[in-house]
Amino acid sequence: MAGTEEEEKFSLQEVLDTFKLCLSDSKEIYLEQYVAGWRGLVRLLNSLGSVFGFISSDAVNKINILVAHLKGENGSRYVTVQSMVAYELENDLVDLSKRGSHPESGCRTLLRLHRALRWLELFLERLRTSGEDSKTSTMCSEAYNESLSRHHPWVIRKAAGMAFCMIPGRPAFLEAMNVGPPEQVVAKLGEALPLISEVYQITEDLYTRHSLMDLP
């Protein structure tokens, strides 16, 4: 079934709906919905060709690790991001200073998706506010340099820079959202991005509070 899911068309409305369901009344983040939102974002990346392969393939790997935690014997501890952080820290299941016996801890895995989510948020916000003649390659590179690049080695940064030069233009991106004409896409992005931003900021604050922002 996984292959079928990834071949489905990206739907911005679906991602919007998923991120709406991400937060509980007390602003805890449901991990299952977070993962579902990322599945949708992976479909967006895949629909735009192989240039984003280095990010989407890593995201799929991280999604699968988190799903394994959710379906594992301790799945009840992974219902929310907050409960996952508490459980893994209380039971010494996180490599805090150097890579050790927990390279696939939920905390480390989610941090990698969290960083990539910031890049997508910044890029989509630029896309939302851009003019018809704006270059998506420039928007994408700027968003990358403000977020993911600092966590990637030089060789990845170099490859990313080359890949961004080949990404589709603004009309193709707007069409890939499967919402309708450009003005509808812009309006829908205006709904979705604040939700994504809120989920990102809650995660950022949680990880900062527990000194988890630089997990190896």
Side-chain angles (χ1 to χ4, degrees):
M1 283 296 292
T4 306
E5 280 182 14
E6 287 170 22
E7 288 161 15
E8 288 176 10
K9 276 190 172 184
F10 171 75
S11 165
L12 180 58
Q13 182 64 53
E14 182 185 308
V15 169
L16 171 60
D17 293 342
T18 303
F19 275 98
K20 277 181 180 175
L21 296 172
C22 239
L23 294 176
S24 72
D25 292 339
S26 57
K27 299 297 184 182
E28 293 205 350
I29 300 168
Y30 293 119
L31 191 58
E32 186 174 359
Q33 298 300 331
Y34 185 93
V35 165
W38 253 108
R39 281 203 181 101
L41 293 172
V42 164
R43 284 199 286 274
L44 171 63
L45 296 175
N46 288 343
S47 74
L48 295 163
S50 60
V51 292
F52 292 115
F54 74 103
I55 292 175
S56 66
S57 61
D58 187 56
V60 168
N61 174 259
K62 299 299 184 284
I63 287 169
N64 290 338
I65 292 171
L66 291 176
V67 168
H69 282 305
L70 279 165
K71 293 183 175 179
E73 59 181 331
N74 295 306
S76 61
R77 305 296 191 98
Y78 289 84
V79 172
T80 68
V81 173
Q82 287 82 354
S83 67
M84 174 190 78
V85 168
Y87 168 67
E88 291 195 342
L89 287 177
E90 286 168 7
N91 291 277
D92 297 321
L93 297 174
V94 187
D95 297 325
L96 294 173
S97 57
K98 63 179 181 178
R99 292 289 291 274
S101 54
H102 306 292
E104 295 191 346
S105 67
C107 288
R108 180 185 185 276
T109 301
L110 188 95
L111 178 61
R112 270 56 187 177
L113 288 175
H114 175 69
R115 292 169 177 170
L117 188 65
R118 179 61 172 162
W119 163 67
L120 274 172
E121 179 198 340
L122 290 171
F123 173 52
L124 291 175
E125 177 58 25
R126 280 174 165 81
L127 191 68
R128 184 184 75 83
T129 58
S130 62
E132 289 183 18
D133 298 328
S134 300
K135 294 183 67 174
T136 51
S137 57
T138 301
M139 291 186 271
C140 204
S141 294
E142 288 175 351
Y144 178 76
N145 290 336
E146 288 177 26
S147 53
L148 267 180
S149 69
R150 73 192 70 168
H151 305 294
H152 285 164
W154 179 85
V155 66
I156 297 291
R157 294 199 302 269
K158 189 74 173 174
M162 294 173 66
F164 295 153
C165 290
M166 300 186 297
I167 65 174
R170 186 175 181 273
F173 266 97
L174 297 181
E175 188 177 338
M177 301 291 170
N178 290 309
V179 172
E183 59 271 18
Q184 286 186 24
V185 178
V186 168
K188 195 63 69 175
L189 281 172
E191 287 183 61
L193 285 167
L195 287 169
I196 292 173
S197 178
E198 185 176 16
V199 169
Y200 173 86
Q201 196 56 53
I202 290 170
T203 309
E204 182 87 354
D205 293 344
L206 177 70
Y207 270 56
T208 300
R209 194 160 63 247
H210 291 284
S211 302
L212 299 174
M213 290 302 296
D214 297 305
L215 293 180

